Amino acid sequence: MNIQPTASHFIDGAYVEDTAGGDIPVIYPATGKVVATLHAATPAIVDKALAAAKRAQKEWAGWTATERGRVLRRAADIMRDRNHDLSVLETYDTGKPYQETSVADATSGADALEYFGGLAASITGEHIQMGDDFVYTRREPLGVCVGIGAWNYPTQIACWKAAPALACGNAMVFKPSEMTPLCALKVAEILVEAGAPAGVFNVVQGYGAVGASLITDPRVDKVSLTGSVPTGRKVYAAAAEGMRHVTMELGGKSPMVVFDDADLENAVSGAILANFYSTGQVCSNGTRVFVQKGIKDAFLKRLTERLAGIKMGDPQDPDVNFGPMVSERQRDIVEGYIAKGVEEGATLVTGGKRVDGDGFYIEATVFADVTDEMTIAKEEIFGPVMAVLDFETEEEALTRANATEFGLAAGVFTADLTRAHRMAAGFEAGTCYINTYNLAPVEAPFGGSKMSGVGRENSKAAIEHYSQIKGVYVAMGDVEAPF
């Protein structure tokens, strides 16, 4: 498969190149080899993209919501028809196994396009009677939105941002992560093929400087970022200078609490999904696994047995279920945390080593006897490293689970549903799970609290973040004035 795109950027309905921009090498994480080369956007490219979005947004907002929704639903159908090719490309882009990308990436992107396509025509205002007078409201688009993506789910994130933005009548300029620049270009292609006007969804490539130039441009009305907390702080501050609308989906150090009465097999499955899916490169991962002392030994034993089922190898092989880290740098970061865990006295139960050979592979790693003050229990690692912590009581578990600056997600496994709902109510997190973990259907809101972000993606809640309400007061009688 030739994965070198026609050009680096997609602007105003067509591929655009400007080789004056710095090189962006696309490195296949399974081999460490360069498989494509793109170029970062120059100021001229950024200007072209924003100008196209500004112009196209007016036309797009003039379409009926039903017409806009029809385009998004067509795009969803096209995306599903091409799921295989899009999944292969996603695997080249990220290193995630095809076994995973074929069911979790383009498919979830298509779900978002379909959901918001169906929702578009229901985005309406309301009538408020005031005696004989009345007020009506209009829900209007914000204008030009900038989306900045992360490298772990490039197709999904592009669609999670584009679908609600376009459903509301906005246009978007999307900058993918420089580590995974390929997939968003295909999203742009598909939207044009589905009938979106040229310029409604544009893709520009680049490093941090390109993102900074986008979010500070006066033509931009909204910024939506998926990324780390440090990046989020910078983007939020820069966007605030222009009083722009902002959605931030940032990092986490989420707790997953396992009580003695939990179904052991389900709890272990949840812990695997919360730590090792996408090789641990998921922002909502439940990497602090609090296990009640009575079940701890059985939990660790069964977890170790289940991890023997990991199959590494060529991520394009449908039988492979565990891929490499996205980059050499990310693997180095993870190795540093593993060393810190050993140094600070945690018990290394399994894993902890890089895998010999090509690519950026590292073993699934489990630490036990972890305490709250250890680095691996406090900082987001973004890799396949699970920290297992003991607890005795429900009150203790909830207090310690919330003792973090993050608040993206939290989960609980227990047979006692009354306790489960108490825990969910007590968690200081935006996305919570009972007897499961890391499911993110488009119908449900997704997002965090505290330092894990502001706003919500997905569900009807996303409409609030890509539109604004205008109130119109209508007087039915004479106007009274004091003089």
Side-chain angles (χ1 to χ4, degrees):
M1 182 180 184
N2 178 19
I3 65 169
Q4 177 68 45
T6 303
S8 300
H9 319 286
F10 195 95
I11 299 171
D12 213 3
Y15 277 98
V16 177
E17 189 60 275
D18 186 344
T19 56
D23 286 355
I24 300 177
V26 181
I27 299 172
Y28 185 29
T31 63
K33 293 182 170 56
V34 176
V35 291
T37 302
L38 284 71
H39 296 277
T42 59
I45 288 289
V46 170
D47 180 69
K48 184 180 179 71
L50 289 171
K54 188 75 173 176
R55 187 208 70 245
Q57 190 272 323
K58 299 299 183 186
E59 176 191 352
W60 181 240
W63 289 29
T64 69
T66 298
E67 291 169 332
R68 293 197 300 267
R70 191 175 298 133
V71 169
L72 296 179
R73 295 197 307 277
R74 281 196 204 113
D77 291 341
I78 295 169
M79 190 167 283
R80 289 198 180 97
D81 288 343
R82 296 177 189 168
N83 183 59
H84 170 71
D85 288 348
L86 293 170
S87 301
V88 169
L89 185 66
E90 180 102 13
T91 293
Y92 275 116
D93 223 2
T94 64
K96 295 189 298 185
Y98 176 83
Q99 184 184 109
E100 177 182 329
T101 59
S102 61
V103 298
D105 291 272
T107 54
S108 64
D111 287 347
L113 292 166
E114 181 179 22
Y115 176 82
F116 286 104
L119 196 62
S122 70
I123 302 171
T124 59
E126 64 176 337
H127 174 98
I128 305 162
Q129 197 66 42
M130 306 290 295
D132 290 334
D133 292 357
F134 62 92
V135 174
Y136 68 89
T137 65
R138 294 167 48 92
R139 188 165 286 279
E140 299 181 341
L142 301 176
V144 175
C145 303
V146 164
I148 299 178
W151 43 258
N152 54 343
Y153 283 85
T155 303
Q156 180 193 83
I157 292 170
C159 293
W160 276 18
K161 297 185 188 308
L166 270 57
C168 291
N170 302 288
M172 176 166 278
V173 177
F174 185 79
K175 189 195 88 65
S177 166
E178 64 272 15
M179 285 192 283
T180 52
L182 302 175
C183 296
L185 293 169
K186 292 298 182 184
V187 175
E189 273 187 42
I190 287 169
L191 282 166
V192 169
E193 185 177 341
V200 164
F201 184 76
N202 309 274
V203 176
V204 298
Q205 310 290 351
Y207 298 94
V210 172
S213 67
L214 285 169
I215 63 179
T216 55
D217 192 284
R219 289 168 288 189
V220 172
D221 303 288
K222 154 87 184 204
V223 177
S224 177
L225 167 76
T226 299
S228 67
V229 171
T231 300
R233 287 178 188 269
K234 295 175 185 175
V235 171
Y236 205 172
E241 285 288 323
M243 296 297 288
R244 294 174 183 86
H245 298 261
V246 176
T247 301
M248 296 276 142
E249 196 273 280
L250 308 177
K253 191 67 182 177
S254 301
M256 195 190 99
V257 180
V258 181
F259 285 94
D260 284 348
D261 64 347
D263 180 285
L264 180 63
E265 205 66 22
N266 285 336
V268 170
S269 293
I272 288 171
L273 291 175
N275 285 270
F276 303 124
Y277 202 66
S278 297
T279 319
Q281 299 164 114
V282 182
C283 53
S284 56
N285 270 356
T287 53
R288 292 185 296 142
V289 182
F290 291 89
V291 181
Q292 203 162 20
K293 287 186 176 179
I295 201 175
K296 173 189 170 183
D297 290 343
F299 177 88
L300 289 172
K301 179 176 182 294
R302 186 58 183 140
L303 175 63
T304 303
E305 291 169 352
R306 292 276 298 274
L307 292 180
I310 286 176
K311 181 176 180 180
M312 291 191 197
D314 178 1
Q316 299 290 356
D317 180 347
D319 292 330
V320 168
N321 57 21
F322 193 86
M325 303 299 300
V326 74
S327 67
E328 184 174 21
R329 178 177 179 272
Q330 191 62 28
R331 183 176 64 177
D332 290 345
I333 289 170
V334 172
E335 285 182 315
Y337 277 109
I338 292 171
K340 183 68 73 172
V342 172
E343 176 189 327
E344 293 182 355
T347 301
L348 182 60
V349 176
T350 187
K353 298 187 294 295
R354 69 166 58 190
V355 178
D356 293 335
D358 294 335
F360 311 129
Y361 291 89
I362 193 166
E363 294 174 336
T365 302
V366 178
F367 281 102
D369 306 315
V370 178
T371 57
D372 295 337
E373 69 276 4
M374 289 182 181
T375 303
I376 59 172
K378 293 191 297 184
E379 297 182 11
E380 184 178 38
I381 298 173
F382 224 68
V385 180
M386 181 193 299
V388 177
L389 304 93
D390 307 348
F391 77 94
E392 293 184 351
T393 69
E394 176 183 330
E395 294 74 19
E396 174 199 350
L398 186 60
T399 298
R400 293 170 62 197
N402 288 335
T404 172
E405 66 176 343
F406 301 107
L408 184 52
V412 58
F413 280 80
T414 177
D416 183 343
L417 284 181
T418 301
R419 174 165 60 192
H421 289 297
R422 276 198 310 269
M423 291 291 291
F427 282 138
E428 295 171 359
T431 305
C432 297
Y433 301 98
I434 294 175
N435 292 329
T436 190
Y437 205 90
N438 258 356
L439 301 180
V442 69
E443 298 89 346
F446 183 82
S449 58
K450 300 197 281 191
M451 293 303 296
S452 290
V454 293
R456 292 294 179 267
E457 297 196 288
N458 292 342
S459 80
K460 290 181 287 187
I463 299 301
E464 300 287 338
H465 301 292
Y466 284 98
S467 62
Q468 56 194 344
I469 294 175
K470 177 185 287 181
V472 181
Y473 192 106
V474 180
M476 300 300 289
D478 294 333
V479 177
E480 294 184 9
F483 50 83

